[in-house]
Amino acid sequence: MIKKLIVFASIFVSIASWGQDNTASPYSYYGLGEVKFRGTQDARAMGGLAITGDSIQLGLMNPASYSKLKLTTFAVGGTSSFTNFSTDTEKEKAQRTSFDYLAVGLPLGKFGVAFGLMPYSAVGYKNENTTVSSTETSYSRKEGNGFINKVFVGSSYTFNKNLSVGLDFAYHFGDITNDFNKRILAPDFTQYTTRERNITELNGVSFNLGLLYNTKINTKLTFHSSLTYSPETKLSTNNSRNIATVIYSASGAEFSNDDEDIAVPNTNLIIPSKLSLGFGLGENKKWLLGTEITFTQNKNLVNRFAESTSVDYENSTRFALGGYYIPKYDSFSNYFDRIVYRAGFKYENTGLVLKNESIKDYGMNFGLGLPLGVSKIDLGFEFGKRGTSSNGLIEENYFNVSVGLNLGAKWFEKRKID
């Protein structure tokens, strides 16, 4: 067990060190940023499907799954994203590696408890533009970075072999910085740049209620269903703005002049309410096929600063279809028969509307669950597309590689022999 903890801690330190650049999407400028997938890598590899509980695999999307655990479980995961950005005239590439989650699950008889840390959303973009008019030529740069993390703790209770319910409590915290820089290039070139910096510090709490229900159809087939609901909640903010004239050295160091702080109002940001319903059919330890639909009240979102009026929001819907297949889970002669093979599809209307265009996100997922005794390594691969290059917007084509580690061990057992 000590060896497992050392491996777990080492991987966590490595993954956590990646988490400085969580996204490169220009769409992360709006709202709370790019909202991250909140599940583990096994669910992600099935398009985001999470309609069952597992005895040795920690699930984070539905808190009702915690009481299904039979082993103390440690889970950690991260993702590398490779994205191609394109407009009608330009193309660009970006690569980011990010921390996805760190969590612990504890089985306590009919109860289960889990706690951990994961990002809720991230902001990370950089747009540069040179504008030529009849009077001047100017260079501008919009750049943003930051994140909203959440620490969560939850518990669930199993009423019988068919029904379990659970509840998560989460505390959100973080800060987001947005910079706008402009410099005149002609007719009178100046090495000084005007910089406006907006900073938002925020915090708040949220809740997530979950339910899992399954029933036998016959000796082989089981029907699975799930429900999760998160009510709308508000995050308190502390907004600040600074305007300065700056100059940059050859190494990129910034030196400011005429620095001035400007008072701006604080805005309560909204984490919208969310309802998910899922259904599936499968054979225990053999295969599963299911679907899940999520409704999010994104229409209630507000901007971090009131004067950001170039965006509208609409209620969003996310659809997932996926499943897994295990050739023979208890095979001793062939390791490949014990591997969990996963696949899925997702489609989401994100709720973001720019220039009357609804920003959509869809992708295909594939994955492998590689067993290591009662532990497991989960690998996931995702090909997807977000946005559109029409109407002056940006299309993102991305490829994600996800790795998750799930370590299981038995704790709190009484010794049979002293």
Side-chain angles (χ1 to χ4, degrees), residues 1 4 70-74 105 107 374-375 407-412:
M1 183 61 196
K4 289 183 179 181
K70 301 302 180 185
L71 300 175
T72 298
T73 305
F74 299 86
V374 294
S375 300
L407 296 176
K410 287 189 176 182
W411 283 14
F412 312 118

Side-chain angles (χ1 to χ4, degrees), residues 33-174:
E34 179 185 338
V35 177
K36 295 296 185 176
F37 179 69
R38 68 181 185 184
T40 49
Q41 310 301 19
D42 58 309
R44 187 171 188 167
M46 296 186 290
L49 185 70
I51 60 173
T52 64
D54 194 281
S55 61
I56 62 173
Q57 183 111 23
L58 180 60
L60 300 178
M61 297 182 71
N62 192 326
S65 66
Y66 303 155
S67 56
K68 299 290 186 179
L69 288 172
K70 301 302 180 185
L71 300 175
T72 298
T73 305
F74 299 86
V76 64
T79 298
S80 287
S81 299
F82 306 85
T83 309
N84 292 321
F85 303 96
S86 61
T87 65
D88 291 335
T89 58
E90 296 180 277
K91 293 185 178 180
E92 190 58 76
K93 295 182 179 180
Q95 188 272 327
R96 295 289 188 272
T97 303
S98 61
F99 160 70
D100 288 341
Y101 56 87
L102 170 70
V104 178
L106 302 173
L108 302 171
K110 287 191 173 185
F111 286 92
V113 175
F115 57 90
L117 168 70
M118 61 179 6
Y120 174 80
S121 66
V123 173
Y125 64 89
K126 184 178 181 181
N127 299 327
E128 298 177 309
N129 188 40
T130 299
T131 303
V132 179
S133 68
S134 59
T135 58
E136 67 177 26
T137 300
S138 62
Y139 163 80
S140 62
R141 184 178 76 243
K142 295 180 180 180
E143 187 173 3
N145 60 82
F147 53 86
I148 302 175
N149 282 329
K150 74 172 186 178
V151 177
F152 71 92
V153 60
S155 180
S156 71
Y157 178 78
T158 296
F159 288 93
N160 51 52
K161 63 180 181 180
N162 303 111
L163 177 65
S164 63
V165 297
L167 178 68
D168 270 338
F169 168 84
Y171 174 72
H172 302 258
F173 63 96

Side-chain angles (χ1 to χ4, degrees), residues 27 30 86-89 310 353-359 387-395:
Y27 297 117
Y30 303 98
S86 61
T87 65
D88 291 335
T89 58
S310 61
V353 182
L354 297 171
K355 299 181 179 180
N356 296 319
E357 292 275 358
S358 295
I359 305 303
T388 175
S389 59
S390 64
N391 204 14
L393 297 175
I394 298 175
E395 179 179 302

Side-chain angles (χ1 to χ4, degrees), residues 290-311:
T291 184
E292 191 166 13
I293 187 167
T294 302
F295 305 95
T296 307
Q297 297 294 309
N298 280 324
K299 191 174 183 179
N300 296 330
L301 288 176
V302 297
N303 299 310
R304 293 190 291 274
F305 291 86
E307 61 265 33
S308 299
T309 58
S310 61
V311 59

Side-chain angles (χ1 to χ4, degrees), residues 68 99 109 120 154 197-198 239 246 253 278 325 378:
K68 299 290 186 179
F99 160 70
Y120 174 80
R197 173 167 293 167
N198 296 310
N239 291 334
V246 299
Y325 174 71
D378 292 304

